[in-house]
Amino acid sequence: MLESIDLQQVLVLDVETVPQYPSFNELPADYQSLWDQKTRFQRRDGETAAEFYSRGGILAEFGKIICISVGIFSKKTETLSLRVKSFYGDEEKEVIQSFIDLLNKQSDSLVLCAHNGKEFDFPYLCRRMLINGLQIPVQLNIHGKKPWEIMHLDTMDLWKFGDYKNYTSLNLLAAVFNIPSPKDDIDGSMVHKVYWEDNDLERIRIYCEKDVITTAQILLKFKSLAALSSDQITIVEP
């Protein structure tokens, strides 16, 4: 698979998001009503809008981005390596702008890769960019492009092989390919608490970077290449 993809032209990314407010009661009244309407069919029987609000980060209209981690492949002689860097903080606009600045320094043909990126990461980034009054960089702007001109890879989509019913988590793919699990500390359902209650952005950054590394390792498996050793992965410290 993916024989024509040059890994050195691929940027692997993961986005972590949280609700814009610590709790439903702190939402402005009009947004409480809008949240109730938006999530009515997503909530379990008897579950209130307030009880469901901890999942507010999944919707770009009610969430915000607190961390974007990226991984870039490089190759010296015959050795492949991955450099991982994060943009994170409480000020969403600054986080996103730093990511945009990085993309603007890259080729327009840079390939973006994420797990479930087509359904979540890529559109979420674009929506929050517009909400923050930021220009969508060319690598994310798909308007008017033909399908083969969109340089986006989605490891979950690749694993479907055309099966539209199939949802496979990053954790499961890591297991079947014998890659260390990225969910050894927290998972996505815990990010709300870790951010709003524990105030531990560093923990979220590490979790986000692990997802990037795992996605990169899975991409290598799709290309029938060996996984990277820890010596081949560099975390760029903030």
Side-chain angles (χ1 to χ4, degrees):
M1 292 177 66
L2 309 177
E3 291 86 355
S4 64
I5 296 293
D6 179 2
L7 289 173
Q8 295 180 84
Q9 293 300 313
V10 174
L11 182 143
V12 183
L13 66 89
D14 186 60
V15 173
E16 294 302 327
T17 65
V18 294
Q20 293 174 21
Y21 296 87
S23 69
F24 178 78
N25 291 335
E26 295 175 68
L27 264 176
D30 55 341
Y31 270 83
Q32 289 187 8
S33 176
L34 290 166
W35 171 256
D36 183 22
Q37 296 171 32
K38 180 73 173 179
T39 62
R40 185 166 298 163
F41 299 108
Q42 299 177 41
R43 304 195 303 265
R44 297 186 298 268
D45 288 346
E47 187 175 23
T48 66
E51 291 168 338
F52 193 70
Y53 184 68
S54 63
R55 298 187 63 191
I58 64 176
L59 298 175
E61 300 88 352
F62 298 91
K64 71 171 184 174
I65 294 170
I66 55 171
C67 184
I68 307 170
S69 295
V70 301
I72 298 179
F73 291 100
S74 62
K75 193 172 187 179
K76 293 182 180 179
T77 63
E78 294 302 313
T79 303
L80 191 66
S81 62
L82 182 74
R83 288 175 60 85
V84 180
K85 178 181 176 64
S86 293
F87 309 100
Y88 64 108
D90 299 313
E91 298 300 324
E92 181 188 43
K93 188 171 184 177
E94 295 177 8
V95 171
I96 298 175
Q97 184 62 65
S98 296
F99 176 64
I100 291 173
D101 292 343
L102 172 68
L103 289 187
N104 286 341
K105 296 175 184 176
Q106 310 301 316
S107 166
D108 289 357
S109 60
L110 181 73
V111 178
L112 303 182
C113 177
H115 190 76
N116 199 28
K118 292 182 179 180
E119 289 291 326
F120 184 74
D121 303 76
F122 304 147
Y124 201 108
L125 279 163
C126 292
R127 291 165 185 155
R128 293 309 301 175
M129 286 173 184
L130 290 180
I131 288 169
N132 281 281
L134 300 172
Q135 186 170 355
I136 299 173
V138 64
Q139 297 93 343
L140 278 168
N141 193 347
I142 65 174
H143 179 70
K145 290 183 179 178
K146 299 176 176 63
W148 56 87
E149 295 174 331
I150 300 172
M151 307 303 288
H152 293 171
L153 284 178
D154 185 332
T155 48
M156 189 178 82
D157 189 53
L158 290 168
W159 185 249
K160 288 180 178 180
F161 290 96
D163 179 2
Y164 291 101
K165 304 183 300 298
N166 191 22
Y167 173 86
T168 307
S169 70
L170 185 64
N171 202 32
L172 177 54
L173 270 188
V176 299
F177 283 118
N178 198 28
I179 296 168
S181 171
K183 315 296 185 184
D184 57 356
D185 178 31
I186 62 175
D187 60 40
S189 67
M190 300 168 63
V191 172
H192 171 271
K193 177 183 182 298
V194 174
Y195 180 76
W196 281 117
E197 297 181 24
D198 302 341
N199 193 28
D200 196 347
L201 257 173
E202 284 296 326
R203 191 177 176 193
I204 294 169
R205 172 186 68 83
I206 293 169
Y207 164 67
C208 195
E209 290 174 349
K210 287 180 179 179
D211 274 2
V212 165
I213 293 168
T214 302
T215 303
Q217 300 279 39
I218 289 170
L219 182 62
L220 291 175
K221 293 293 186 178
F222 285 168
K223 286 179 66 66
S224 300
L225 297 172
L228 299 175
S229 68
S230 57
D231 293 340
Q232 293 170 278
I233 300 169
T234 300
I235 306 294
V236 180
E237 294 300 327

